[in-house]
């Protein structure tokens, strides 16, 4: 069972990261519909204690389609390539789908309170697509980077003040990269 990690800085980027090592022999982490349901829960998209929305083969295919379309858009944007029309249409289509309708519930003291409606896999995917629209169409689009440590290559949002962050996480890939650089320097010193 794959372990999902959520440190890309944005929901849509964490979702894209359900394919690992994209630069070299990609690893699919959404292998089954149950993986997708588990991702929704671990991402905090379902209300605490409530079951993950039902997901089957069609939802898994839709999720992967949306994910790859988002990845292509982020990649085109990052590398300043021509925007591919098909992924653009896929992301826009998902972003236009409805969110779970809110509803009213009788609360204590004869008051009504607003609670989120029941989420489905489709409404959650739509929310992820809207996060991508917000990020790609906003001022932070230029801050999406690819982790410099191979084979990670995870996309992440660089929120550092300098805007020069190289790794998806400083204590994970960043620490490994620095250790590798240190070892390389030491080996070079020993050789000379
Ligand atoms: Zn990384």
């Amino acid at each position: 069972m794959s372990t999902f990690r959520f440190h890309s800085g944005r929901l849509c980027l964490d979702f894209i990261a359900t394919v690992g090592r994209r630069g070299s022999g990609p690893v699919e982490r959404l292998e089954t519909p149950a993986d997708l349901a588990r991702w929704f829960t671990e991402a905090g998209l379902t209300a605490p204690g409530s079951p993950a929305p039902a997901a089957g083969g069609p939802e898994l295919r839709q999720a992967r389609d949306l994910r790859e379309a988002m990845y292509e858009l982020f990649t085109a944007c990052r590398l300043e390539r021509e925007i591919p029309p098909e992924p653009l249409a896929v992301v826009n289509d998902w972003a236009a789908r409805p969110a779970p309708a809110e509803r009213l519930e009788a609360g204590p003291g004869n008051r009504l309170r607003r609670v989120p409606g029941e989420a489905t896999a489709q409404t959650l995917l739509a929310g992820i697509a809207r996060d991508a629209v917000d990020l790609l169409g906003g001022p932070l689009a230029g801050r999406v980077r690819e982790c410099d440590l191979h084979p990670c290559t995870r996309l992440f949002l660089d929120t550092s003040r300098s805007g020069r962050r190289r790794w998806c996480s400083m204590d994970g890939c960043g620490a490994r990269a620095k250790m590798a650089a240190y070892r390389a320097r030491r080996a070079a010193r020993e050789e000379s």
Side-chain angles (χ1 to χ4, degrees), residues 69-88:
M70 293 194 304
Y71 177 68
E72 285 183 50
L73 282 193
F74 276 106
T75 302
C77 176
R78 207 168 52 78
L79 303 176
E80 297 181 7
R81 288 188 191 146
E82 197 179 331
I83 304 301
E86 222 170 284
L88 185 63

Side-chain angles (χ1 to χ4, degrees), residues 7 147-149 152-154 156 166-169 172-174 176:
H7 62 270
C147 181
D148 224 8
L149 186 74
C152 175
T153 62
R154 182 186 188 110
F156 66 94
R166 293 170 57 193
W167 303 291
C168 68
S169 71
C173 289
R176 276 195 289 278

